[in-house]
Amino acid sequence: MASRTSFLFLTFVWLALATTALSLTPNFYDKICPQALPAIRKVVQAAVHKERRMGASLLRLHFHDCFVQGCDGSLLLDSTSNFETEKNARGNLNSVRGFEVVDQIKAEVDRVCGRPVVSCADILAVAARDSVVAVLTLPWKGTWKKLDYRPD
């Protein structure tokens, strides 16, 4: 009985440590490659500055990647002769865009980190976040004259 209790206790401790060690954290890349997130931001800002709609496109890429069975980067996979991927699926064909920006991000991150260390799913997530920030910080020239109603 004692050995079974010890086994269960050790199993619980091992699982608790494993989940803690493998948990998601916003500063995961701080030690692995501190230049990764600034590199993503730089490419995203340049792409949004060049074409403002790219901000929405990168956000949409992240949404479409996460919509089908979780955020795994599978939207970025190219089709083969034997297998059609999400990228070319009927719902995404001529609908999602920005793949070339993601390719630029991946190349820049791999360059500054010295090797491929950032997952494609993380690149999509960070690019979506940075694209929203980039669009919100661009100057917007709008006019404010229309009234929603006229008081009597």
Side-chain angles (χ1 to χ4, degrees), residues 12-110:
F12 174 76
V13 169
W14 182 83
L15 286 173
L17 289 174
T19 6
T20 304
L22 300 175
S23 64
L24 299 175
T25 174
N27 54 359
F28 177 77
Y29 293 109
D30 288 354
K31 292 181 183 171
I32 295 174
C33 180
Q35 304 88 357
L37 300 184
I40 295 171
R41 186 179 315 111
K42 183 180 94 177
V43 175
V44 167
Q45 286 174 338
V48 170
H49 182 73
K50 182 178 177 183
E51 181 190 359
R52 189 176 175 128
R53 288 182 354 162
M54 190 53 66
S57 297
L58 292 172
L59 178 61
R60 190 164 193 228
L61 271 177
H62 180 55
F63 168 78
H64 279 264
D65 180 52
C66 295
F67 187 72
V68 179
Q69 297 185 14
C71 308
D72 56 5
S74 61
L75 184 64
L76 302 176
L77 296 174
D78 292 322
S79 295
T80 66
S81 58
N82 299 328
F83 183 73
E84 185 177 327
T85 62
E86 294 173 51
K87 188 177 194 176
N88 296 326
R90 187 174 33 181
N92 292 334
L93 198 58
N94 297 322
S95 173
V96 291
R97 56 192 288 274
F99 294 109
E100 69 284 349
V101 175
V102 175
D103 290 342
Q104 291 171 6
I105 292 169
K106 180 72 173 144
E108 180 64 13
V109 168
D110 290 352

Side-chain angles (χ1 to χ4, degrees), residues 84-145:
E84 185 177 327
T85 62
E86 294 173 51
K87 188 177 194 176
N88 296 326
R90 187 174 33 181
N92 292 334
L93 198 58
N94 297 322
S95 173
V96 291
R97 56 192 288 274
F99 294 109
E100 69 284 349
V101 175
V102 175
D103 290 342
Q104 291 171 6
I105 292 169
K106 180 72 173 144
E108 180 64 13
V109 168
D110 290 352
R111 186 188 71 74
V112 300
C113 295
R115 59 190 172 96
V117 295
V118 181
S119 72
C120 291
D122 284 352
I123 285 176
L124 283 177
V126 174
R129 179 199 68 185
D130 290 347
S131 68
V132 170
V133 171
V135 168
L136 291 176
T137 56
L138 285 175
W140 185 70
K141 297 174 184 152
T143 57
W144 310 102
K145 295 180 183 175

